[in-house]
Amino acid sequence: MSVPVVQLSGIKKSFGPVDVLKGVDLVAHAGRVTALVGDNGAGKSTLIKGLSGVQPYDEGQVLFEGQPVELNSPRQASALGIEVVYQDLALCENLDIVQNMFLGREEISQTTLDEASMEYQAALALQSLSVKTVKSVRQKVSSLSGGQRQTVAIARSVLRAAKLVILDEPTAALGVAQTEQVLQLVRRLADQGYAVIMISHNLADVFKVADDIAVLYLGNMVAQLKTSETNHNEVIGYITGISQQVKA
Amino acid sequence: MSELTLKTGQEGTTAEQFRAYLSRLRAGDMGALPAVGALLVLVALFGSLSPYFLSLINFANLFVQAATLMMMAAALVFVILIGEIDLSAGVTAGTGMAIFVKLQIGGMNWILALALAFVLALATGWVIGTFVARIGVPSFVVSLAFYLAFPGVMLWILGDGGVLRLEVPEVSAIMNKNLPAWGGWVLLALCVVVTTLMGLWDRARRTKAKLPNRPIVFLFIKVAGLIVLGGATVALLNMNRSQSVIPGNEIMGVPLVIPFALVILFIATFTLDRTRFGRHLFAVGGNPEAARRAGIKVARIRITAFMVCSVLAMISGVFNVSRIGNVESAAGKSIVLSAVAAAVVGGVSLFGGRGRLAHAAIGAFVIAIIDNGLGLIGMSAGVNFVVTGSVLLIAATIDALARKRSGGSIART
């Protein structure tokens, strides 16, 4: 298989006396959705915060496209092409879709905001993800549904030329139809060559969309499985700690 | 590059665009309409109650009276947009003007003295902003502290008399002199040219980016409206409004304050709508946490907003001292609350992130007309205050109801 977009090995992180991550390995490939599952407190968020540069790891190696890298700030992570879509989405409801997608990196020409160029690129990014449900790219975010907001947040990471997109519980607050839409979007994201890591509590979603399933249990990566070679019961076994897999 | 299939809100025929506008109205996105409606109702009401209200002299007077309030409202828009308030904007302006007049009387060059007033504005805005953004004291409290303290500073500066006369003809001229007749027409021509060019510029940029444009007829309507309304205003202001029949005592022309106010409002609007700072201001007002995660330096934006507010407030102070002709120790205490009312009447949301400067300017006209009209029909100051308060409450209620309908949340994070 090709060089993974990101490869973590021996990642450790502790908060005072509490070891949250105890030597975690994780691989994410371009074009594949890697689901990160595990019970509350297993260390999923801590692992993601390290990848996004918000809370640097204590120990361990991060290879990005085969090169060892340092992830000490969100800016560094973003410069490499790592984008995180948090659960609360971080959108400004009073701004429209285009304004949100370019927030903090507005384009300037002739000394003023280049609205036309930004509008075109935003529409193109949404189109590339086959988004059809928004009425206009100039709609205010306050008028969008939960699924549409998730879509805008994901499209924003695409616009930022990401290579690795990390989604934190993208379907947590959504209804059935919208969950379906967002899962399709996640699939398309991977099909377009992005590496996707998706945190989820919902195994049905995971089995629907993920290529690989990584299971964290109390700070250890107990399994990284191909979806096609496993089943619900096996994954639940790892999540709850009933099954243990010896790490390679 | 591939074709765009997603809509941008600008495609469609004139009729389709018009229908889309109507449906936005129904959805509660009314913009300046309530304020414009209130304006028309008030003009009709006072016009029918007082023969003097629609006289030429009062027409010109209204612009002069509204200018000070309008500038103060514009100042407050910058802090209201980030969900904050600056109660001290008026007394900061008053203190700045006290310093200006005192130093000028003391022999200092008036331009230098005026510049020092603006240094005070920048410093005050920076201090308030720093307390709010870096230390986390609520802006209501910080600015209330200044609101209480600055009148004391004014007392020290002004001394026992408590009043100092303005003796700078250049500053008095702003509110008391008029443009020559041709000057008014040149001003209107400039407004038309700038509006047209900016409209065409935006269209050219959209065309270059292969985006659809609205039918150009909308730009024609806008410019035609400007020519008709602006032309009527200039024509009326250029007629002799003097009560005196003695030749040589004519008063005519566009008041000098109008070009001043227009230029400043244009720059402020341009900043809010077309610069990164303006965009970030709205983002901080809408969702500070989202703004922070997008890499926006939230504290710096907040502090800058307070500084802009104080500077615009100081300009309002200059207008005020030019009109009244003196500074007294209570200068600027009451105007702030009227300016907040003006902004809210103009649809600027006190929750932050929503509103336009031009709408706040219309709101300022509404408040100024209430003040002017009630005075003319012989109502007492008491009635004036009660009516102004009621209008504010009605405006805020319309805003809240409109927001409910449009489904936007009023929650702040």
Side-chain angles (χ1 to χ4, degrees):
Chain A
M1 200 177 257
S2 62
V3 181
V5 171
V6 74
Q7 181 163 17
L8 306 178
S9 43
I11 297 296
K12 289 186 183 171
K13 174 82 187 172
S14 37
F15 297 101
V18 185
D19 297 326
V20 181
L21 300 174
K22 306 167 185 168
V24 171
D25 301 342
L26 179 71
V27 185
H29 288 275
R32 292 179 80 83
V33 177
T34 306
L36 183 59
V37 298
D39 217 337
N40 293 336
K44 302 187 299 286
S45 300
T46 310
L47 191 63
I48 294 315
K49 279 180 183 159
L51 258 182
S52 64
V54 176
Q55 267 173 12
Y57 301 130
D58 295 339
E59 266 179 65
Q61 192 181 35
V62 183
L63 293 180
F64 194 83
E65 297 184 315
Q67 303 295 320
V69 291
E70 295 279 319
L71 291 172
N72 292 323
S73 75
R75 203 171 288 266
Q76 274 176 328
S78 187
L80 286 171
I82 301 175
E83 290 292 338
V84 187
V85 179
Y86 290 99
Q87 216 171 340
D88 64 359
L89 303 181
L91 298 171
C92 291
E93 293 197 357
N94 59 328
L95 300 182
D96 65 32
I97 295 176
V98 178
Q99 292 169 340
N100 265 289
M101 285 176 70
F102 276 91
L103 194 61
R105 31 195 105 189
E106 293 84 2
E107 293 194 355
I108 301 283
S109 83
Q110 296 158 316
T111 71
T112 56
L113 294 175
D114 194 345
E115 296 287 352
S117 163
M118 289 191 277
E119 190 171 311
Y120 182 78
Q121 291 177 56
L124 217 57
L126 284 166
Q127 248 170 255
S128 76
L129 296 169
S130 309
V131 174
K132 296 190 188 75
T133 55
V134 293
K135 248 190 294 174
S136 150
V137 292
R138 286 298 184 182
Q139 249 181 299
K140 292 241 188 296
V141 165
S142 60
S143 68
L144 299 180
S145 68
Q148 287 173 327
R149 290 177 195 208
Q150 189 77 49
T151 305
V152 171
I154 293 173
R156 172 161 67 176
S157 58
V158 170
L159 200 64
R160 292 179 179 176
K163 289 171 182 157
L164 170 65
V165 179
I166 302 169
L167 305 168
D168 186 5
E169 300 263 13
T171 59
L174 302 182
V176 178
Q178 295 191 347
T179 298
E180 194 54 40
Q181 269 177 28
V182 169
L183 288 180
Q184 283 175 15
L185 182 63
V186 171
R187 192 60 253 170
R188 275 196 296 272
L189 205 56
D191 292 345
Q192 289 190 11
Y194 299 94
V196 180
I197 295 178
M198 179 176 88
I199 297 183
S200 183
H201 267 119
N202 186 330
L203 283 189
D205 289 357
V206 168
F207 274 89
K208 217 176 275 174
V209 75
D211 300 296
D212 304 290
I213 302 175
V215 189
L216 271 175
Y217 178 70
L218 296 180
N220 289 305
M221 188 63 76
V222 288
Q224 185 155 10
L225 312 154
K226 284 204 162 44
T227 311
S228 54
E229 296 165 3
T230 183
N231 58 51
H232 268 72
N233 286 338
E234 191 186 3
V235 173
I236 289 172
Y238 286 120
I239 291 175
T240 53
I242 295 167
S243 316
Q244 298 277 336
Q245 190 184 47
V246 180
K247 267 201 314 176
Chain B
M1 292 250 188
S2 54
E3 278 299 302
L4 282 191
T5 53
L6 276 176
K7 297 272 186 284
T8 64
Q10 297 222 0
E11 45 277 292
T13 61
T14 311
E16 280 163 6
Q17 280 284 329
F18 189 67
R19 272 197 296 275
Y21 172 68
L22 287 184
S23 79
R24 276 203 301 280
L25 281 188
R26 272 197 298 274
D29 182 8
M30 288 187 283
L33 274 191
V36 172
L39 201 65
L40 294 177
V41 168
L42 286 171
V43 168
L45 182 71
F46 290 130
S48 64
L49 289 177
S50 160
Y52 192 69
F53 181 78
L54 289 177
S55 66
L56 284 173
I57 184 107
N58 195 48
F59 183 64
N61 213 4
L62 264 178
F63 281 97
V64 174
Q65 284 179 5
T68 311
L69 183 62
M70 195 184 282
M71 204 49 62
M72 189 58 80
L76 283 167
V77 164
F78 277 81
V79 289
I80 294 177
L81 275 180
I82 57 168
E84 306 287 353
I85 192 74
D86 182 0
L87 296 175
S88 68
V91 290
T92 305
T95 309
M97 286 306 100
I99 291 174
F100 160 58
V101 173
K102 176 90 174 179
L103 289 177
Q104 193 273 329
I105 290 172
M108 188 187 269
N109 176 297
W110 71 270
I111 295 177
L112 191 60
L114 192 58
L116 284 177
F118 280 92
V119 171
L120 175 81
L122 286 170
T124 309
W126 183 81
V127 171
I128 296 176
T130 301
F131 270 100
V132 173
R134 303 250 189 241
I135 304 176
V137 187
S139 57
F140 182 86
V141 176
V142 182
S143 61
L144 183 61
F146 278 87
Y147 180 82
L148 295 172
F150 266 151
V153 177
M154 276 188 263
L155 270 181
W156 291 335
I157 296 170
L158 298 173
D160 292 337
V163 181
L164 283 182
R165 267 179 59 83
L166 171 74
E167 283 160 18
V168 183
E170 289 88 344
V171 173
S172 299
I174 298 173
M175 284 297 201
N176 298 304
K177 290 277 190 291
N178 303 301
L179 289 176
W182 60 265
W185 294 114
V186 169
L187 180 67
L188 176 63
L190 276 175
C191 290
V192 169
V193 168
V194 169
T195 307
T196 312
L197 284 182
M198 286 188 52
L200 291 176
W201 183 35
D202 285 344
R203 294 180 68 86
R205 292 221 279 199
R206 289 186 70 84
T207 309
K208 197 171 145 224
K210 303 193 194 73
L211 288 170
N213 262 310
R214 276 200 182 91
I216 198 163
V217 65
F218 284 98
L219 182 58
F220 289 148
I221 293 173
K222 190 172 167 187
V223 173
L226 179 63
I227 291 174
V228 171
L229 283 178
T233 306
V234 173
L236 287 171
L237 290 174
N238 275 350
M239 285 153 74
N240 178 19
R241 53 182 175 265
S242 171
Q243 310 296 92
S244 156
V245 287
I246 304 162
N249 277 5
E250 294 91 354
I251 305 173
M252 57 179 78
V254 173
L256 207 52
V257 66
I258 292 183
F260 272 102
L262 281 180
V263 168
I264 293 159
L265 289 180
F266 175 79
I267 294 172
T269 306
F270 191 92
T271 307
L272 283 178
D273 289 355
R274 290 169 184 265
T275 68
R276 227 177 230 160
F277 169 70
R279 179 62 40 81
H280 293 177
L281 205 66
F282 277 92
V284 169
N287 187 345
E289 176 59 17
R292 189 187 65 78
R293 283 204 215 147
I296 294 170
K297 296 198 165 51
V298 175
R300 194 185 291 175
I301 296 285
R302 286 204 170 117
I303 293 170
T304 314
F306 278 100
M307 291 169 78
V308 173
C309 170
S310 295
V311 167
L312 289 177
M314 194 59 74
I315 295 172
S316 165
V318 174
F319 286 2
N320 191 48
V321 77
S322 166
R323 191 162 84 91
I324 312 242
N326 61 50
V327 202
E328 41 95 25
S329 59
K333 274 183 114 166
S334 66
I335 191 173
V336 169
L337 298 177
S338 298
V340 173
V344 173
V345 168
V348 180
S349 169
L350 285 171
F351 295 99
R354 274 184 21 156
R356 293 184 54 80
L357 199 65
H359 298 175
I362 297 172
F365 255 107
V366 172
I367 304 290
I369 283 182
I370 293 173
D371 189 23
N372 172 285
L374 286 177
L376 287 181
I377 60 175
M379 292 291 172
S380 65
V383 176
N384 184 352
F385 293 148
V386 172
V387 171
T388 305
S390 308
V391 169
L392 172 62
L393 192 58
I394 293 169
T397 309
I398 290 176
D399 180 44
L401 291 177
R403 191 202 315 267
K404 236 183 200 169
R405 248 177 120 177
S406 69
S409 89
I410 53 171
R412 281 182 65 200
T413 47

